[in-house]
């Protein structure tokens, strides 16, 4: 079955360390996205990529970095510059074949930084 | 700018209907979506509506769109305990950048 895989599901890190969250999709989607979710808040867009080797900053890109070397992969690095990294991170993808293509989500990674 | 608003909580009794409301600001939005999120999981697409439609029905789900007031609602008939989750409405930005704007989510609690 096609889908989006995020790993790991839970991640613990010490303050000051960089950490990379994995996102892989086998849906053959061109566009991929990273969102951050905090309790009581909606989803906030960190970065998105519409095509391989290209990506754009979202609304809260500071302290994060991404790469898009392969169509199926869009890893997110949370750097030590991110002031409040503890959150639930969601990866999503969509087809660009039609304008109304909905987002497909992975099951998320919960990052805890102490 | 673009913004999507929802009330944070809704509580209903099992068997009753639930109505979750959403307002959006981008009057040129073409598609509006409803997603469901269960605890510790990602978002699952429930349904979507095109902006030239007033209503869409899919089994227990009914979506109503009032484009004049920029108001979207999701009605769940015969609400079950398994419907307890967070529900997000979302619109797609019209700038051609394929950016989706999400509301804050409404936490639905179904009481047995």
């Amino acid at each position: 079955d096609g889908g989006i895989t995020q790993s790991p599901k839970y991640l613990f890190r010490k303050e000051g360390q960089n950490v990379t969250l994995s996102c892989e999709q086998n849906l053959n989607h061109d566009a991929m996205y990273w969102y951050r979710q905090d309790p009581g808040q909606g989803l906030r867009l960190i970065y998105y990529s519409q095509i391989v080797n290209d990506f754009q900053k979202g609304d809260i890109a500071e302290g994060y970095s991404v790469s898009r070397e392969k169509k199926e992969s869009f890893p997110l690095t949370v750097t030590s510059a991110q002031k409040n990294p503890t959150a639930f991170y969601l990866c999503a993808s969509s087809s660009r074949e039609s304008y109304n293509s909905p987002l497909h989500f992975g099951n998320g990674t919960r990052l805890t930084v102490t | 700018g673009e913004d999507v608003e929802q009330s944070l909580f809704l509580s209903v009794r099992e068997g009753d209907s639930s109505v979750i409301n959403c307002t959006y600001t981008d009057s040129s939005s073409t598609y509006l979506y409803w997603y469901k999120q269960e605890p510790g999981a990602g978002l699952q697409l429930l349904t979507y509506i095109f902006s030239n439609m007033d209503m869409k029905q899919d089994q227990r789900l009914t979506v109503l769109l009032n484009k004049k007031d920029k108001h979207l609602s999701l009605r769940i008939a015969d609400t079950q305990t398994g419907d307890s989750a967070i529900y997000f409405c979302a619109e797609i930005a019209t700038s051609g950048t394929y950016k989706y704007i999400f509301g804050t989510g409404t936490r639905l609690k179904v009481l047995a």
Side-chain angles (χ1 to χ4, degrees):
Chain A
D1 285 341
I4 300 179
T5 302
Q6 290 187 243
S7 60
K9 188 166 178 63
Y10 299 97
L11 195 50
F12 298 89
R13 280 293 182 271
K14 296 282 189 190
E15 203 172 299
Q17 293 179 333
N18 290 355
V19 59
T20 297
L21 282 59
S22 168
C23 178
E24 303 277 331
Q25 55 101 357
N26 60 2
L27 299 166
N28 200 34
H29 285 169
D30 287 305
M32 296 187 74
Y33 306 77
W34 275 106
Y35 288 90
R36 170 180 171 138
Q37 184 178 21
D38 295 284
Q41 297 193 36
L43 277 64
R44 293 186 288 169
L45 182 64
I46 305 173
Y47 268 98
Y48 64 106
S49 166
Q50 299 186 56
I51 198 165
V52 174
N53 292 323
D54 189 40
F55 48 83
Q56 288 78 39
K57 292 182 179 180
D59 302 315
I60 56 164
E62 186 177 347
Y64 299 98
S65 66
V66 293
S67 63
R68 187 87 188 276
E69 296 175 3
K70 297 186 296 183
K71 187 175 185 178
E72 57 269 22
S73 179
F74 191 41
L76 173 74
T77 296
V78 184
T79 75
S80 56
Q82 167 51 233
K83 291 183 172 47
N84 295 298
T86 294
F88 189 52
Y89 291 88
L90 287 161
C91 179
S93 71
S94 70
S95 167
R96 290 188 59 187
E97 289 181 2
S98 61
Y99 190 67
N100 68 324
S101 296
L103 289 176
H104 295 254
F105 283 85
N107 279 326
T109 292
R110 185 167 299 280
L111 173 64
T112 303
V113 176
T114 57
Chain B
E2 304 137 346
D3 197 13
V4 178
E5 294 187 356
Q6 298 178 241
S7 53
L8 289 180
F9 298 103
L10 177 65
S11 179
V12 299
R13 295 209 172 274
E14 191 175 18
D16 289 349
S17 292
S18 309
V19 179
I20 302 170
N21 295 302
C22 170
T23 57
Y24 60 98
T25 55
D26 189 345
S27 59
S28 58
S29 290
T30 52
Y31 288 93
L32 297 132
Y33 306 85
W34 282 104
Y35 285 86
K36 176 184 180 182
Q37 185 183 33
E38 298 188 7
L43 278 67
Q44 171 193 354
L45 177 69
L46 286 178
T47 187
Y48 63 91
I49 189 167
F50 186 48
S51 59
N52 69 352
M53 297 169 67
D54 297 323
M55 185 181 89
K56 181 179 180 181
Q57 189 154 1
D58 184 0
Q59 298 183 333
R60 291 191 299 125
L61 305 179
T62 302
V63 179
L64 295 177
L65 176 60
N66 181 330
K67 198 171 180 185
K68 174 176 166 290
D69 295 335
K70 300 191 191 69
H71 183 264
L72 181 73
S73 68
L74 174 70
R75 179 176 180 270
I76 306 173
D78 187 26
T79 313
Q80 303 298 306
T81 53
D83 295 324
S84 292
I86 303 175
Y87 291 80
F88 291 92
C89 64
E91 60 176 349
I92 185 166
T94 54
S95 58
T97 60
Y98 291 85
K99 283 178 64 177
Y100 298 77
I101 312 298
F102 284 84
T104 51
T106 298
R107 184 179 293 273
L108 173 65
K109 184 173 181 179
V110 182
L111 306 171

